[in-house]
Amino acid sequence: MATRNGVDLQLTSKEFDLLAYLARHAGKVCTHHMILKDVWGPGYGEESNYLRVYTHRLRKKLGDDEGRLLRTVPGIGYQLVPEPEPEPAPSNE
């Protein structure tokens, strides 16, 4: 199960696999070929249209319509941008 801001995300198994893959490589650019081979299987590698569809679905479910969290790197692939940790509240000492 995946959550964001404490809310369960209703993901298909392939959406979950894609998100988990990108999360394992958070901050790094993952090429189309790498993602297809590792998420869809060794028989895939050129079907970048799959990625466009699934990243669009993920962005909608993540509330990331502007692509700030799941970034497209044109002609190369995708990058999951880690969300910054919330800063601790200042203490009144």
Side-chain angles (χ1 to χ4, degrees):
M1 178 64 68
T3 62
R4 180 155 193 236
N5 298 328
V7 177
D8 290 344
L9 301 174
Q10 300 300 315
L11 303 178
T12 67
S13 62
K14 195 56 74 178
E15 290 167 347
F16 181 85
D17 292 346
L18 175 57
L19 182 59
Y21 180 84
L22 292 169
R24 283 191 303 274
H25 298 88
K28 297 179 182 170
V29 176
C30 300
T31 67
H32 298 131
H33 184 77
M34 286 169 48
I35 298 168
L36 287 165
K37 181 179 66 73
D38 293 343
V39 176
W40 271 263
Y44 294 84
E46 303 301 321
E47 297 81 358
S48 59
N49 57 317
Y50 288 13
L51 295 177
R52 281 191 296 275
V53 170
Y54 279 87
T55 54
H56 175 75
R57 289 179 186 174
L58 271 178
R59 283 185 179 126
K60 287 184 71 107
K61 292 179 179 186
L62 291 168
D64 184 39
D65 293 328
E66 295 185 22
R68 291 189 177 141
L69 180 61
L70 179 51
R71 183 178 298 157
T72 299
V73 181
I76 297 173
Y78 296 93
Q79 176 186 31
L80 187 65
V81 179
E83 291 185 285
E85 293 291 323
E87 293 186 23
S91 64
N92 294 330
E93 292 181 27

